[in-house]
Amino acid sequence: MTQRIAVTGSSGLIGGALCHALRARGDEVVRLVRRPPEHSEEVQWDPSSRHLDPGVLDGVDAVVNLAGASIGEKRWTPAFKATLISSRTDGTTALAEAIAASGRQVHLVNGSAVGYYGDRGDEVLTEESPGGSGFLAELVRAWEGATEPARAAGAPVACVRTGIVLAPEGDAFKPLLLLTRLGLGGPLGNGRHYWPWITLHDEVRGILHVLDQRLEGPVNLTGPDPAPQREIVAEMGRQLHRPTILPAPAFALRVVLGEMSSDILASQRARPRRLLDSGFEHEHATLPDAVRWLLSDAS
């Protein structure tokens, strides 16, 4: 069934790919953009105002909210940390209140992250696992909490906790891919921390699945089998025929990246239980398959 889907953050890595996939299957896309609209698909909004005219949602079946400043854009100064929070919670509040005011059961699929769980070692994490500690965990709790007006009004709300997205232009993999091609790849820190990877292709398919199944509550968007970071970079090296033996010491990462290094070195062995239980099948279910897709898409 054709749907009319509003999307925020449509100029980002995931948002752009999602809009393309929605159009390809025949859905109507409404892009909420901050600049003046350039064509009929776009509607201007100001997320910092924390307000959206409910009329914008007339005829809209669902909203996918992916707006927010990039985590890896710069060092986490107090000012930038405030920006990371407000860039997510302001827009989410506006959307949730507009959905509540519309009086319709508009499905809100809200961006989120596995950062919710904090640094948890080798503990297997599902949607039922409690939240962790640290800045990213606090950020995600605030982000998900901003959806409450829509939920309180009875609208279906899903929070998609995205893992580390394998994509040639992704924040984590663009520099890692370059270093590995040069034979300079290796573990970050000790490399034993789990990265809950998912290819961009399956990330988009997962969001479409959440929309089509009208899932609610937290949904981990990760591959079925998270792997330690050193295994991910080793697999990249195997397929590129490059060595991956040069580690980046944890102390050096902290000097260069500051507090953000804690996120890169955090371990989240998150599994997508709700996604799998609802019938989703990954097209890149194994790490070799995922890396093969990453490298083919980057070539």
Side-chain angles (χ1 to χ4, degrees), residues 2-259:
T2 299
Q3 300 183 77
R4 180 176 167 87
I5 311 293
V7 180
T8 74
S10 60
S11 62
L13 176 72
I14 298 171
L18 175 65
C19 288
H20 178 77
L22 288 167
R23 295 188 202 99
R25 70 178 199 168
D27 288 326
E28 182 181 355
V29 176
V30 179
R31 298 176 61 209
L32 300 185
V33 298
R34 288 177 291 179
R35 54 170 171 73
E38 296 178 353
H39 50 75
S40 60
E41 187 181 78
E42 298 179 345
V43 175
Q44 188 173 21
W45 78 316
D46 178 13
S48 65
S49 71
R50 300 174 70 92
H51 175 75
L52 178 68
D53 182 354
V56 170
L57 302 180
D58 286 350
V60 167
D61 299 294
V63 177
V64 181
N65 177 31
L66 302 173
S70 172
I71 293 288
E73 185 176 325
K74 58 180 73 172
R75 288 177 68 94
W76 288 0
T77 63
F80 186 58
K81 287 165 73 172
T83 296
L84 290 174
I85 295 172
S86 63
S87 68
R88 288 162 172 76
T89 57
D90 288 352
T92 301
T93 297
L95 290 165
E97 291 183 349
I99 289 172
S102 75
R104 299 173 51 246
Q105 296 292 293
V106 178
H107 188 195
L108 175 58
V109 178
N110 205 67
S112 187
V114 293
Y116 171 84
Y117 302 108
D119 185 1
R120 303 288 277 274
D122 62 358
E123 177 186 356
V124 175
L125 303 168
T126 69
E127 292 85 352
E128 287 73 39
S129 300
S133 59
F135 171 69
L136 279 186
E138 296 170 4
L139 168 64
V140 174
R141 276 193 287 272
W143 195 4
E144 294 187 359
T147 66
E148 183 56 29
R151 186 181 293 106
V157 176
C159 292
V160 287
R161 294 174 179 165
T162 294
I164 296 177
V165 178
L166 274 73
E169 297 301 315
D171 285 347
F173 281 91
K174 185 175 182 178
L176 193 58
L177 185 57
L178 174 61
L179 288 172
T180 305
R181 286 189 188 280
L182 294 173
L184 301 174
L188 303 178
N190 61 30
R192 291 195 293 267
H193 49 289
Y194 278 85
W195 272 11
W197 59 266
I198 185 170
T199 62
L200 176 61
H201 179 72
D202 276 340
E203 169 78 9
V204 170
R205 291 180 62 248
I207 294 174
L208 295 178
H209 181 82
V210 171
L211 284 167
D212 294 344
Q213 299 297 317
R214 288 182 74 83
L215 297 184
E216 301 181 45
V219 180
N220 289 343
L221 283 190
T222 67
D225 191 18
Q229 185 271 335
R230 63 184 178 185
E231 291 185 13
I232 295 174
V233 74
E235 182 61 34
M236 291 169 63
R238 275 192 290 271
Q239 296 196 28
L240 286 169
H241 307 291
R242 297 289 191 275
T244 54
I245 58 175
L246 296 174
F251 76 85
L253 288 173
R254 292 189 181 95
V255 169
V256 174
L257 300 175
E259 188 179 350

